[in-house]
Amino acid sequence: MALRVVFMGTPDFSVPTLRAIAEAGHDVAAVYTQPPRAAGRRGLELTASPVQREAERLGIAVSTPLSLKGDEEQQAFRALQADVAVVVAYGLLLPRAILDAPRFGCLNGHASLLPRWRGAAPIQRAIMAGDAETGVMVMRMEEGLDTGPVALTSKLSIGPDMTAGELHDELMPACAALMLEALAKLEAGTLAFTPQPQEGALYARKIAKAETRVDWSWPARDVHNHIRGLSPFPGAWCEFEAGGKPERLKLLRSTLADGAGEPGTVLDDGLTIACGAGAVRLTEVQRAGARPVAAPEFLRGARLSTGMKLS
């Protein structure tokens, strides 16, 4: 028999899981997502979340509350009489009344190997820390932040030059597949949970604008991990001199390289940059207002020569 599901999610990452649940024949009673936000070049147009657009395509009722703390919202949620709520990157805290409303509670698909990287930015933080492995987990939610017991795990290797965007795209279908497996086990009465260990817990705090600028005094591996962990969004960046004034340059791809010099110095005509120890070669960059380009195309217009410095 199919489960009666309430789905709660917001960004692109959540969409494959919603689609998979609906296509598997479960009864999706409602979708909860963040309200439409200002977008567009001037920030004047209200844009529905990717999950809302997918729910509307599937013909599923959508709710976009600003908060779930009020009695009215909690009563409306209980009235859905869900067997289970599935939560994937929703973005709102769920109070106890919401967590307890579905018959089997709330299942969360989280993009890390808990207890490592609890919180808002697990994909970026895993790469920025140089992790060689991550994954997705299905856990039962409780009031703590990503602290609930884990039912299922799917692991994934992180390649040495893999960006956050590439990892995100590999984890999306993995999350959907794992959640379908969890729901099948839940239907069969075989879904078992194991408490998270206390050791190794790390918090993946939201990426702040102040930390996106590259610090060339860091070792090359840290600079490389910083660049790929923030690519494509929000993007690591530095400045170079263009026409006698500084211009911001977004750094989208890099690789470790041989070389040494004063941190930030251009070492060759292949855009190899000296770091505090070692060097990185920038392979894809983006000037302000322009499209991303490979390093050779950027160098044809930027005229960065050996010995110049990035800051």
Side-chain angles (χ1 to χ4, degrees):
M1 67 174 199
L3 291 168
R4 185 167 171 83
V5 178
V6 171
F7 185 84
M8 311 178 84
T10 298
D12 286 323
F13 187 85
S14 315
V15 170
T17 305
L18 169 59
R19 187 181 301 134
I21 290 170
E23 290 177 352
H26 293 291
D27 175 17
V28 184
V31 164
Y32 279 68
T33 188
Q34 291 276 334
R37 305 293 190 196
R41 297 189 66 178
R42 297 184 180 179
L44 299 177
E45 302 173 10
L46 288 179
T47 301
S49 75
V51 163
Q52 179 171 346
R53 295 195 297 271
E54 179 66 11
E56 291 171 348
R57 187 189 72 82
L58 294 168
I60 302 170
V62 176
S63 183
T64 59
L66 291 171
S67 169
L68 292 167
K69 295 179 181 179
D71 288 341
E72 186 175 340
E73 284 295 346
Q74 292 175 8
Q75 289 172 13
F77 189 87
R78 282 193 294 269
L80 293 168
Q81 296 184 313
D83 292 316
V84 63
V86 171
V87 184
V88 180
Y90 178 34
L92 280 185
L93 291 176
L94 304 189
R96 171 56 59 188
I98 298 294
L99 294 172
D100 290 344
R103 184 158 65 106
F104 297 116
C106 301
L107 297 181
N108 178 224
H110 184 75
S112 81
L113 298 179
L114 295 166
R116 188 171 177 85
W117 304 128
R118 295 169 174 166
I123 295 174
Q124 293 95 328
R125 295 296 176 189
I127 292 182
M128 292 168 76
D131 292 0
E133 184 180 58
T134 188
V136 289
M137 286 183 154
V138 172
M139 67 173 178
R140 186 173 62 224
M141 296 180 72
E142 50 185 40
E143 287 185 284
L145 181 63
D146 300 328
T147 58
V150 173
L152 298 174
T153 301
S154 178
K155 295 184 177 180
L156 184 75
S157 296
I158 302 175
D161 292 340
M162 179 180 274
T163 66
E166 290 167 340
L167 181 56
H168 170 280
D169 290 352
E170 290 200 23
L171 288 172
M172 279 198 300
C175 183
L178 200 67
M179 189 60 73
L180 280 189
E181 181 182 347
L183 294 179
K185 288 179 179 291
L186 187 63
E187 284 186 85
T190 59
L191 190 65
F193 295 87
T194 302
Q196 291 185 36
Q198 297 301 312
E199 317 83 56
L202 282 176
Y203 178 60
R205 70 186 186 279
K206 186 177 179 180
I207 304 297
K209 286 184 180 180
E211 65 180 311
T212 55
R213 186 169 190 162
V214 166
D215 186 339
W216 298 110
S217 70
W218 292 350
R221 188 170 298 277
D222 292 345
V223 171
H224 174 55
N225 291 340
H226 187 78
I227 291 169
R228 65 195 186 100
L230 296 177
S231 176
F233 182 84
W237 61 279
C238 66
E239 289 183 339
F240 71 101
E241 190 168 302
K245 59 181 181 180
E247 180 181 324
R248 181 177 290 210
L249 183 67
K250 185 183 283 191
L251 312 177
L252 296 173
R253 291 184 187 273
S254 61
T255 190
L256 295 174
D258 294 328
E262 183 72 21
T265 302
V266 179
L267 298 178
D268 58 23
D269 58 5
L271 211 53
T272 300
I273 313 299
C275 301
V280 298
R281 187 172 72 253
L282 303 178
T283 57
E284 185 179 8
V285 298
Q286 183 177 10
R287 299 179 78 163
R291 61 182 176 83
V293 295
E297 183 175 344
F298 164 72
L299 287 170
R300 284 196 291 271
R303 299 178 182 174
L304 273 181
S305 57
T306 301
M308 295 181 68
K309 290 194 69 174
L310 305 180
S311 60

